[in-house]
Amino acid sequence: MEIRHLKTPILLSNSIHDPATGYNWATDVARQLGRNGVLLTYQGWGHGSYNKSPCVQSAIDDYLVSLKVPARGSSCPAVAPTG
């Protein structure tokens, strides 16, 4: 399937240290999407980055609510786990 000419790029989000979906997979998908995709990198660990960091959560919420796409190369710092 080809994805072309999107008004709003697809937002990808991935942790650098994700044990289930390697970061290299996310960078490969972002490369394949080209201008039609943007990768938001979480500098921490774990599978699923949405609930790991207020920075990631805010960027994804902005995308879902307002179609605001983070700048290419955007990343969020790791947050120490609680508990």
Side-chain angles (χ1 to χ4, degrees):
M1 172 184 357
E2 276 192 48
I3 298 173
R4 295 188 267 174
H5 312 296
L6 299 178
K7 283 185 178 180
T8 304
I10 296 168
L11 177 60
L12 307 165
S13 177
N14 210 98
S15 301
I16 286 185
H17 306 290
D18 186 328
T21 54
Y23 185 69
N24 61 321
W25 294 359
T27 58
D28 284 348
V29 171
R31 180 186 50 76
Q32 291 173 39
L33 289 172
R35 293 185 324 217
N36 294 300
V38 172
L39 174 60
L40 173 65
T41 300
Y42 175 57
Q43 299 290 331
W45 60 271
H47 182 65
S49 55
Y50 180 77
N51 62 350
K52 305 282 188 217
S53 155
C55 172
V56 173
Q57 193 168 15
S58 176
I60 293 173
D61 287 349
D62 286 348
Y63 177 79
L64 293 173
V65 172
S66 305
L67 297 178
K68 180 181 173 201
V69 182
R72 292 190 189 289
S74 291
S75 68
C76 291
V79 175
T82 58

